[in-house]
Amino acid sequence: MAARQRATLALTLKFANLPYHKRLEEFDFTAQPGLDRRLIEELATGRFLSEGRNIILLGPPGVGKTHLAISLLLRTAELGHRVYFTSALDLARRLSKAVAENRLHRQLAVFTQPKVLVLDEVGYLDLEPAHASLLFQVIAKRYEKHQPLILTSNKAFGEWGQVFGGDAVLASAALDRLRHRATVLHIRGESYRLRERRQAGVAPAHADQPPTAPIA
Ligand code: ADP
Ligand code: MG
């Protein structure tokens, strides 16, 4: 029985398109004192799955948004569900290629059928209008099916019009659906990478990206 569960999990993860595996146990909460640890632990129970509740992780680069998204995705897979990871840009490109090749329906299923979809890096690049409407289709379809999204973004909701190809109406329709049932986490604070470099006494790699806290 246990062996079968392990085999199923291995197969699920093989097709989950994860960039790397990071677990919640590896997340250093002391580095992110503003983050509500109990809320993350509540999410890790998987209750959001039956509630069809989205998880929205907002904050600047390097604060652990993707790490947390992957941890929660791994937890979901361990609970026996199908999961999938993609970035907003990757999703848009693959759907748009599918349109050109007349197989949109099948490609949409990749993003709408898994119990949880991580949609990473919404807003790192503004989408073209055609791409924005494809992203909207995924958001709308998952909303109808009560299938949660775990979304990460470096942009505040007020900036989403720009992200959605300059279409404020589409952005607000997407946000209405996403926020209707959602836990929104604002992660602030210093980039973990820069923090590690600072603690090692190394100057930041780019002069235009200084550490957000003064060097001790
Ligand atoms: P973001 O997605 O917010 O840009 P990432 O999740 O990619 O940031 O984090 C950058 C790197 O730093 C990753 O390797 C991640 O595992 C690590 N990291 C970030 N925050 C923490 C943390 N609080 N504890 C442990 N590792 C962290
Ligand atoms: Mg990230």
Side-chain angles (χ1 to χ4, degrees):
M1 183 78 171
R4 208 160 80 206
Q5 268 173 6
R6 269 199 306 277
T8 307
L9 179 62
L11 203 63
T12 299
L13 295 180
K14 188 175 165 202
F15 292 107
N17 198 34
L18 284 165
Y20 54 81
H21 287 197
K22 280 277 168 103
R23 313 196 60 85
L24 214 48
E25 292 74 16
E26 296 167 66
F27 194 81
D28 176 7
F29 282 91
T30 64
Q32 220 51 263
L35 193 62
D36 185 347
R37 181 175 191 158
R38 272 182 319 184
L39 183 53
I40 302 285
E41 279 161 2
E42 189 274 327
L43 293 171
T45 64
R47 193 153 50 221
F48 74 99
L49 298 165
S50 55
E51 296 169 352
R53 177 161 38 115
N54 296 319
I55 302 170
I56 304 178
L57 300 157
L58 300 177
V63 293
K65 300 183 299 298
T66 302
H67 182 142
L68 288 171
I70 288 175
S71 319
L72 292 168
L73 203 68
L74 287 173
R75 193 58 66 90
T76 304
E78 283 162 5
L79 291 170
H81 299 286
R82 266 181 62 201
V83 299
Y84 201 77
F85 182 102
T86 185
S87 70
L89 197 63
D90 177 57
L91 172 140
R93 285 189 175 145
R94 285 165 64 191
L95 286 175
S96 134
K97 188 161 179 280
V99 169
E101 292 167 3
N102 207 12
R103 51 175 184 82
L104 177 62
H105 191 74
R106 241 186 316 146
Q107 187 62 49
L108 270 175
V110 171
F111 301 122
T112 56
Q113 280 183 352
K115 184 70 181 176
V116 174
L117 176 73
V118 168
L119 188 56
D120 200 29
E121 301 193 339
V122 175
Y124 276 64
L125 290 168
D126 296 338
L127 299 173
E128 301 163 20
H131 283 180
S133 81
L134 290 166
L135 173 58
F136 177 78
Q137 283 191 48
V138 172
I139 291 170
K141 188 154 262 172
R142 294 191 64 88
Y143 173 77
E144 283 159 22
K145 291 167 63 171
H146 291 229
Q147 304 258 63
L149 269 163
I150 302 177
L151 187 152
T152 83
S153 181
N154 62 331
K155 293 275 165 69
F157 292 142
E159 298 171 278
W160 277 40
Q162 199 58 42
V163 174
F164 272 73
D167 189 335
V169 175
L170 192 66
S172 110
L175 279 172
D176 272 1
R177 286 163 177 77
L178 287 169
R179 294 168 80 184
H180 181 206
R181 295 178 297 264
T183 295
V184 181
L185 288 149
H186 293 269
I187 313 182
R188 296 183 181 88
E190 190 182 0
S191 156
Y192 195 78
R193 296 188 195 96
L194 289 179
R195 178 181 187 266
E196 285 194 317
R197 293 175 67 85
R198 181 169 56 82
Q199 286 179 345
V202 185
H206 307 290
D208 60 335
Q209 290 181 346
T212 50
I215 292 174

